[in-house]
Amino acid sequence: MTDYATNADKKKILIAGLDNAGKTSIIDLVQNKMVDTLSKNPTKGVSRREAEILGQSFVLHDLGGQEQYRTIYLAQAAKYFGETGACVFVVDLQDKERYAVALGYFESIIKLFKGLKITPRIYVFFHKFDHAYMTSYNDPTKPERERYNQLRDQFTSTARLNGFSVYDFFKTSIFDEWSCYAAFFDIWSSFITRLDSIQSYLQRITEAVPGVLLSVLLDDKGNLLGKHFAKDMQVAIDKVIELATASIKALVEFRGTKMGAVLGETNMVSVKVGNNVVLLRGFEAGGKGYYLAIARDQPDDKESKSALDHIAYSMSIFIAAKE
Protein backbone atom coordinates (compact mmCIF):
# COMPACT_ATOMS: atom_id res chain seq x y z
CA MET A 1 0.00 0.00 0.00
CA THR A 2 1.34 3.41 -0.96
CA ASP A 3 2.05 5.79 1.91
CA TYR A 4 0.78 9.27 1.05
CA ALA A 5 2.04 10.94 4.20
CA THR A 6 4.18 14.02 3.67
CA ASN A 7 7.46 14.83 5.39
CA ALA A 8 6.97 17.65 7.90
CA ASP A 9 9.47 19.81 5.99
CA LYS A 10 7.45 19.44 2.80
CA LYS A 11 4.19 21.24 2.15
CA LYS A 12 1.42 19.13 0.69
CA ILE A 13 -0.59 20.72 -2.10
CA LEU A 14 -3.72 18.77 -3.02
CA ILE A 15 -5.04 19.15 -6.58
CA ALA A 16 -8.61 17.86 -6.77
CA GLY A 17 -11.61 18.03 -9.09
CA LEU A 18 -13.68 15.88 -11.41
CA ASP A 19 -12.19 13.84 -14.23
CA ASN A 20 -11.26 15.84 -17.33
CA ALA A 21 -11.16 19.10 -15.38
CA GLY A 22 -7.57 19.70 -16.54
CA LYS A 23 -5.70 19.20 -13.25
CA THR A 24 -2.71 17.31 -14.64
CA SER A 25 -2.30 19.69 -17.59
CA ILE A 26 -2.08 22.64 -15.19
CA ILE A 27 0.65 20.92 -13.17
CA ASP A 28 2.53 19.95 -16.34
CA LEU A 29 2.42 23.55 -17.51
CA VAL A 30 3.56 25.03 -14.20
CA GLN A 31 6.43 22.53 -14.06
CA ASN A 32 7.49 23.51 -17.59
CA LYS A 33 6.52 20.27 -19.25
CA MET A 34 5.00 19.98 -22.70
CA VAL A 35 1.21 19.88 -22.50
CA ASP A 36 -0.45 17.63 -25.08
CA THR A 37 -4.14 18.47 -24.87
CA LEU A 38 -5.13 15.82 -27.40
CA SER A 39 -3.56 12.70 -25.91
CA LYS A 40 -3.70 13.44 -22.18
CA ASN A 41 -4.99 10.32 -20.44
CA PRO A 42 -7.00 10.50 -17.19
CA THR A 43 -4.93 10.24 -14.02
CA LYS A 44 -5.37 6.87 -12.35
CA GLY A 45 -5.40 7.19 -8.58
CA VAL A 46 -2.90 9.67 -7.16
CA SER A 47 0.08 11.13 -8.99
CA ARG A 48 2.75 12.80 -6.85
CA ARG A 49 5.08 15.54 -8.07
CA GLU A 50 7.76 17.33 -6.08
CA ALA A 51 8.86 20.94 -6.37
CA GLU A 52 11.38 23.06 -4.51
CA ILE A 53 11.25 26.85 -4.45
CA LEU A 54 13.75 28.96 -2.51
CA GLY A 55 14.56 25.98 -0.31
CA GLN A 56 10.93 25.13 0.48
CA SER A 57 9.86 21.67 -0.67
CA PHE A 58 6.37 20.90 -1.93
CA VAL A 59 4.62 17.67 -2.82
CA LEU A 60 1.77 18.07 -5.30
CA HIS A 61 -0.85 15.33 -4.97
CA ASP A 62 -2.83 15.13 -8.21
CA LEU A 63 -6.01 13.18 -7.41
CA GLY A 64 -7.51 11.42 -10.42
CA GLY A 65 -11.09 12.65 -10.70
CA GLN A 66 -12.93 9.59 -11.99
CA GLU A 67 -15.84 8.52 -9.80
CA GLN A 68 -14.27 5.18 -8.85
CA TYR A 69 -11.27 7.01 -7.38
CA ARG A 70 -13.28 9.77 -5.73
CA THR A 71 -15.17 7.11 -3.78
CA ILE A 72 -11.89 5.62 -2.53
CA TYR A 73 -10.47 9.00 -1.49
CA LEU A 74 -13.56 9.97 0.48
CA ALA A 75 -13.64 6.59 2.25
CA GLN A 76 -10.00 6.94 3.37
CA ALA A 77 -9.87 10.59 4.39
CA ALA A 78 -6.76 10.55 6.57
CA LYS A 79 -4.70 8.76 3.93
CA TYR A 80 -5.52 11.06 1.04
CA PHE A 81 -6.45 14.38 2.66
CA GLY A 82 -4.41 14.39 5.87
CA GLU A 83 -1.58 16.93 6.27
CA THR A 84 -2.85 19.06 3.39
CA GLY A 85 -1.36 22.56 3.43
CA ALA A 86 -3.35 23.90 0.49
CA CYS A 87 -6.11 22.49 -1.68
CA VAL A 88 -6.57 23.53 -5.30
CA PHE A 89 -10.01 22.52 -6.54
CA VAL A 90 -10.24 22.62 -10.33
CA VAL A 91 -13.61 23.16 -12.03
CA ASP A 92 -14.16 22.65 -15.76
CA LEU A 93 -16.12 25.76 -16.72
CA GLN A 94 -17.18 24.17 -19.99
CA ASP A 95 -18.71 21.10 -18.31
CA LYS A 96 -21.93 22.86 -17.29
CA GLU A 97 -23.88 19.63 -16.87
CA ARG A 98 -21.63 18.58 -13.98
CA TYR A 99 -21.40 21.84 -12.02
CA ALA A 100 -23.58 20.32 -9.29
CA VAL A 101 -21.42 17.17 -9.14
CA ALA A 102 -18.25 19.27 -8.83
CA LEU A 103 -19.81 21.39 -6.09
CA GLY A 104 -20.91 18.26 -4.21
CA TYR A 105 -17.40 16.79 -4.40
CA PHE A 106 -15.95 20.09 -3.21
CA GLU A 107 -18.30 20.08 -0.22
CA SER A 108 -17.34 16.49 0.64
CA ILE A 109 -13.66 17.45 0.67
CA ILE A 110 -14.31 20.50 2.85
CA LYS A 111 -16.21 18.34 5.34
CA LEU A 112 -13.32 15.86 5.43
CA PHE A 113 -10.89 18.67 6.24
CA LYS A 114 -13.23 19.72 9.03
CA GLY A 115 -13.39 16.16 10.35
CA LEU A 116 -9.60 15.86 10.23
CA LYS A 117 -9.34 19.17 12.11
CA ILE A 118 -7.04 20.75 9.54
CA THR A 119 -7.47 24.12 7.86
CA PRO A 120 -5.64 24.17 4.53
CA ARG A 121 -5.91 27.20 2.30
CA ILE A 122 -8.60 26.59 -0.30
CA TYR A 123 -8.18 27.80 -3.88
CA VAL A 124 -10.65 27.30 -6.72
CA PHE A 125 -9.43 27.30 -10.32
CA PHE A 126 -12.25 27.93 -12.78
CA HIS A 127 -10.44 26.21 -15.60
CA LYS A 128 -10.78 26.10 -19.38
CA PHE A 129 -11.45 29.82 -19.39
CA ASP A 130 -10.39 29.63 -23.02
CA HIS A 131 -10.77 32.23 -25.76
CA ALA A 132 -14.22 31.07 -26.91
CA TYR A 133 -15.51 30.98 -23.34
CA MET A 134 -13.96 34.37 -22.58
CA THR A 135 -15.67 35.86 -25.63
CA SER A 136 -19.06 34.67 -24.39
CA TYR A 137 -18.20 35.76 -20.84
CA ASN A 138 -17.56 39.30 -22.07
CA ASP A 139 -20.72 39.37 -24.20
CA PRO A 140 -23.58 40.88 -22.13
CA THR A 141 -26.13 39.05 -24.28
CA LYS A 142 -24.71 35.64 -23.29
CA PRO A 143 -25.36 33.86 -19.95
CA GLU A 144 -21.73 32.88 -19.20
CA ARG A 145 -20.85 35.76 -16.88
CA GLU A 146 -24.01 35.38 -14.78
CA ARG A 147 -23.56 31.61 -14.68
CA TYR A 148 -19.93 32.06 -13.60
CA ASN A 149 -20.88 34.50 -10.83
CA GLN A 150 -23.56 32.13 -9.56
CA LEU A 151 -21.10 29.24 -9.51
CA ARG A 152 -18.53 31.31 -7.67
CA ASP A 153 -21.15 32.32 -5.10
CA GLN A 154 -22.12 28.68 -4.61
CA PHE A 155 -18.52 27.65 -3.90
CA THR A 156 -18.10 30.59 -1.53
CA SER A 157 -21.25 29.80 0.44
CA THR A 158 -20.53 26.04 0.52
CA ALA A 159 -17.13 26.65 2.06
CA ARG A 160 -18.51 29.23 4.50
CA LEU A 161 -21.33 26.96 5.70
CA ASN A 162 -18.69 24.42 6.70
CA GLY A 163 -16.48 26.89 8.53
CA PHE A 164 -14.02 27.51 5.68
CA SER A 165 -13.39 30.26 3.17
CA VAL A 166 -12.05 30.16 -0.36
CA TYR A 167 -8.74 31.98 -0.17
CA ASP A 168 -8.87 32.95 -3.84
CA PHE A 169 -10.52 32.17 -7.17
CA PHE A 170 -8.59 32.06 -10.45
CA LYS A 171 -9.70 31.91 -14.07
CA THR A 172 -7.21 29.61 -15.79
CA SER A 173 -6.53 28.12 -19.19
CA ILE A 174 -3.59 26.16 -20.57
CA PHE A 175 -3.91 28.33 -23.68
CA ASP A 176 -3.20 31.31 -21.42
CA GLU A 177 -0.11 29.93 -19.71
CA TRP A 178 0.35 33.08 -17.68
CA SER A 179 -2.96 32.50 -15.87
CA CYS A 180 -1.60 29.22 -14.46
CA TYR A 181 1.85 30.59 -13.61
CA ALA A 182 0.36 33.60 -11.82
CA ALA A 183 -2.13 31.46 -9.87
CA PHE A 184 0.56 29.12 -8.56
CA PHE A 185 2.83 32.05 -7.80
CA ASP A 186 0.19 33.25 -5.33
CA ILE A 187 0.02 29.77 -3.78
CA TRP A 188 3.80 29.50 -3.40
CA SER A 189 3.83 33.00 -1.87
CA SER A 190 1.42 31.92 0.87
CA PHE A 191 4.08 29.49 2.14
CA ILE A 192 7.31 31.35 1.33
CA THR A 193 7.56 34.77 2.91
CA ARG A 194 10.78 35.50 0.99
CA LEU A 195 8.80 35.56 -2.24
CA ASP A 196 6.94 38.66 -1.06
CA SER A 197 10.19 40.52 -0.40
CA ILE A 198 11.69 39.42 -3.73
CA GLN A 199 8.51 40.46 -5.53
CA SER A 200 8.48 43.86 -3.81
CA TYR A 201 12.14 44.52 -4.55
CA LEU A 202 11.80 43.45 -8.20
CA GLN A 203 8.90 45.88 -8.53
CA ARG A 204 10.84 48.72 -6.91
CA ILE A 205 14.03 48.23 -8.91
CA THR A 206 12.12 47.79 -12.20
CA GLU A 207 10.09 50.96 -11.69
CA ALA A 208 13.34 52.88 -11.23
CA VAL A 209 14.54 51.94 -14.74
CA PRO A 210 12.89 53.98 -17.53
CA GLY A 211 11.27 52.21 -20.47
CA VAL A 212 10.84 48.76 -18.91
CA LEU A 213 7.35 47.40 -19.57
CA LEU A 214 7.67 44.26 -17.49
CA SER A 215 10.15 42.06 -15.67
CA VAL A 216 9.94 38.34 -14.90
CA LEU A 217 12.23 36.38 -12.56
CA LEU A 218 12.64 32.58 -12.53
CA ASP A 219 14.75 30.21 -10.47
CA ASP A 220 16.97 27.60 -12.12
CA LYS A 221 14.07 25.12 -12.23
CA GLY A 222 11.81 27.50 -14.12
CA ASN A 223 9.62 28.46 -11.15
CA LEU A 224 8.21 31.97 -11.19
CA LEU A 225 9.70 34.05 -8.35
CA GLY A 226 8.66 37.57 -9.27
CA LYS A 227 6.79 39.64 -11.84
CA HIS A 228 6.17 43.31 -12.42
CA PHE A 229 4.20 45.24 -15.03
CA ALA A 230 4.52 48.94 -15.71
CA LYS A 231 1.52 50.95 -14.50
CA ASP A 232 0.56 52.05 -18.00
CA MET A 233 0.31 48.39 -19.05
CA GLN A 234 -2.31 47.43 -16.49
CA VAL A 235 -5.11 48.38 -18.88
CA ALA A 236 -3.51 46.57 -21.82
CA ILE A 237 -4.07 43.12 -20.34
CA ASP A 238 -3.75 41.28 -23.67
CA LYS A 239 -0.34 42.84 -24.24
CA VAL A 240 0.73 41.99 -20.69
CA ILE A 241 -0.27 38.36 -21.14
CA GLU A 242 1.45 38.11 -24.52
CA LEU A 243 4.72 39.58 -23.26
CA ALA A 244 4.69 37.73 -19.93
CA THR A 245 3.95 34.37 -21.55
CA ALA A 246 6.58 34.93 -24.22
CA SER A 247 9.08 35.87 -21.50
CA ILE A 248 8.41 32.70 -19.51
CA LYS A 249 8.69 30.49 -22.59
CA ALA A 250 11.88 32.18 -23.74
CA LEU A 251 13.46 31.96 -20.29
CA VAL A 252 12.62 28.27 -19.93
CA GLU A 253 14.17 27.56 -23.33
CA PHE A 254 17.15 29.82 -22.63
CA ARG A 255 18.10 28.11 -19.37
CA GLY A 256 18.33 24.79 -21.25
CA THR A 257 20.88 26.09 -23.76
CA LYS A 258 24.66 26.14 -23.48
CA MET A 259 24.57 29.93 -23.30
CA GLY A 260 21.94 29.86 -20.57
CA ALA A 261 23.98 27.37 -18.56
CA VAL A 262 26.75 29.96 -18.19
CA LEU A 263 25.44 32.65 -15.89
CA GLY A 264 26.75 36.13 -16.52
CA GLU A 265 26.20 39.47 -18.18
CA THR A 266 27.95 38.41 -21.40
CA ASN A 267 25.24 35.84 -22.03
CA MET A 268 22.28 37.94 -23.03
CA VAL A 269 19.78 37.11 -25.74
CA SER A 270 16.81 39.03 -27.12
CA VAL A 271 13.49 37.84 -28.52
CA LYS A 272 11.16 39.91 -30.68
CA VAL A 273 7.53 39.87 -29.48
CA GLY A 274 5.29 42.02 -31.65
CA ASN A 275 6.69 45.55 -31.53
CA ASN A 276 8.62 44.86 -28.33
CA VAL A 277 11.92 43.26 -27.41
CA VAL A 278 12.28 40.75 -24.55
CA LEU A 279 15.84 40.53 -23.21
CA LEU A 280 17.03 37.52 -21.21
CA ARG A 281 20.02 36.66 -19.07
CA GLY A 282 21.01 34.49 -16.15
CA PHE A 283 22.77 35.51 -12.96
CA GLU A 284 24.08 33.91 -9.80
CA ALA A 285 23.12 34.73 -6.23
CA GLY A 286 24.14 32.80 -3.14
CA GLY A 287 25.61 30.02 -5.27
CA LYS A 288 22.35 29.43 -7.17
CA GLY A 289 21.20 30.32 -10.65
CA TYR A 290 18.38 32.69 -11.55
CA TYR A 291 16.98 33.98 -14.82
CA LEU A 292 15.62 37.41 -15.63
CA ALA A 293 13.59 38.74 -18.55
CA ILE A 294 12.62 42.33 -19.21
CA ALA A 295 10.52 43.76 -22.02
CA ARG A 296 11.09 47.21 -23.45
CA ASP A 297 9.39 49.30 -26.07
CA GLN A 298 12.83 50.30 -27.36
CA PRO A 299 15.13 48.53 -29.84
CA ASP A 300 17.71 46.03 -28.64
CA ASP A 301 20.43 48.57 -27.89
CA LYS A 302 23.04 49.41 -25.28
CA GLU A 303 20.44 51.13 -23.13
CA SER A 304 18.31 47.98 -23.03
CA LYS A 305 21.31 45.83 -22.13
CA SER A 306 22.28 48.30 -19.43
CA ALA A 307 18.74 48.13 -17.99
CA LEU A 308 18.83 44.32 -17.94
CA ASP A 309 22.27 44.24 -16.32
CA HIS A 310 21.28 46.79 -13.68
CA ILE A 311 18.16 44.89 -12.62
CA ALA A 312 20.00 41.53 -12.66
CA TYR A 313 22.87 42.91 -10.55
CA SER A 314 20.49 44.54 -8.07
CA MET A 315 18.45 41.34 -7.72
CA SER A 316 21.57 39.21 -7.25
CA ILE A 317 22.74 41.40 -4.36
CA PHE A 318 19.28 41.41 -2.78
CA ILE A 319 18.70 37.64 -3.08
CA ALA A 320 22.20 36.79 -1.80
CA ALA A 321 21.62 39.00 1.24
CA LYS A 322 18.40 37.08 1.99
CA GLU A 323 20.05 33.64 1.85
Side-chain angles (χ1 to χ4, degrees):
M1 180 179 293
T2 304
D3 180 10
Y4 291 106
T6 304
N7 185 292
D9 294 332
K10 297 181 179 180
K11 302 298 183 182
K12 177 178 176 180
I13 311 294
L14 197 71
I15 318 294
L18 301 185
D19 53 295
N20 201 41
K23 302 180 294 296
T24 303
S25 294
I26 292 173
I27 298 173
D28 283 347
L29 180 62
V30 171
Q31 293 200 316
N32 302 306
K33 295 184 178 180
M34 186 64 68
V35 177
D36 184 349
T37 59
L38 297 179
S39 62
K40 180 67 67 179
N41 294 316
T43 300
K44 297 180 179 180
V46 181
S47 171
R48 286 168 45 120
R49 313 275 191 94
E50 295 205 6
E52 183 178 320
I53 302 171
L54 295 178
Q56 175 61 61
S57 296
F58 296 91
V59 182
L60 282 66
H61 291 236
D62 178 9
L63 302 186
Q66 295 165 290
E67 185 175 4
Q68 66 190 86
Y69 298 122
R70 300 199 308 265
T71 302
I72 295 172
Y73 308 148
L74 297 177
Q76 302 179 54
K79 176 180 177 180
Y80 292 100
F81 298 97
E83 302 180 338
T84 298
C87 175
V88 176
F89 193 87
V90 182
V91 181
D92 181 353
L93 279 175
Q94 299 183 29
D95 190 2
K96 304 177 185 67
E97 291 75 17
R98 293 203 296 170
Y99 280 176
V101 179
L103 187 62
Y105 183 34
F106 174 77
E107 183 173 23
S108 296
I109 291 174
I110 295 295
K111 287 181 176 179
L112 288 179
F113 288 146
K114 187 175 182 179
L116 292 169
K117 297 181 179 179
I118 58 175
T119 55
R121 290 195 175 193
I122 309 297
Y123 299 86
V124 176
F125 284 20
F126 287 124
H127 194 49
K128 301 186 183 178
F129 195 84
D130 304 337
H131 180 73
Y133 184 93
M134 186 189 306
T135 300
S136 296
Y137 178 87
N138 291 326
D139 185 343
T141 67
K142 299 288 181 66
E144 270 68 24
R145 183 182 292 268
E146 182 179 356
R147 189 180 288 138
Y148 169 88
N149 289 334
Q150 289 175 348
L151 187 62
R152 176 171 172 151
D153 289 344
Q154 288 174 327
F155 273 86
T156 299
S157 60
T158 296
R160 189 173 295 153
L161 286 171
N162 289 282
F164 284 77
S165 61
V166 177
Y167 193 76
D168 212 342
F169 292 92
F170 296 97
K171 303 183 187 79
T172 57
S173 167
I174 60 169
F175 301 109
D176 172 10
E177 295 99 327
W178 184 254
S179 66
C180 299
Y181 278 113
F184 263 89
F185 175 78
D186 283 5
I187 295 173
W188 305 142
S189 297
S190 70
F191 291 100
I192 308 172
T193 55
R194 284 178 61 204
L195 272 180
D196 286 335
S197 61
I198 289 174
Q199 166 72 18
S200 297
Y201 190 74
L202 179 65
Q203 175 179 338
R204 181 150 57 92
I205 202 69
T206 302
E207 288 179 345
V209 180
V212 177
L213 300 176
L214 66 80
S215 57
V216 174
L217 178 68
L218 303 184
D219 67 9
D220 60 352
K221 300 179 184 65
N223 296 306
L224 181 64
L225 301 183
K227 52 188 171 59
H228 174 65
F229 310 125
K231 289 184 175 65
D232 58 355
M233 286 193 70
Q234 299 301 327
V235 293
I237 189 65
D238 290 342
K239 186 175 182 180
V240 168
I241 290 172
E242 179 189 17
L243 283 173
T245 301
S247 299
I248 288 281
K249 286 182 175 179
L251 279 171
V252 170
E253 292 174 2
F254 175 64
R255 71 189 178 92
T257 65
K258 289 183 179 180
M259 180 176 286
V262 180
L263 305 177
E265 62 184 69
T266 57
N267 290 324
M268 183 197 78
V269 297
S270 60
V271 178
K272 188 77 171 174
V273 182
N275 296 322
N276 303 108
V277 174
V278 175
L279 296 97
L280 321 168
R281 62 159 288 187
F283 65 89
E284 189 174 332
K288 298 176 183 177
Y290 298 88
Y291 293 88
L292 175 71
I294 67 169
R296 283 174 54 86
D297 53 5
Q298 303 295 325
D300 179 11
D301 55 13
K302 290 183 179 179
E303 185 178 340
S304 295
K305 182 181 183 303
S306 176
L308 180 68
D309 288 342
H310 173 69
I311 296 174
Y313 176 75
S314 299
M315 291 307 302
S316 69
I317 297 298
F318 181 81
I319 292 172
K322 294 290 183 179
E323 288 289 337

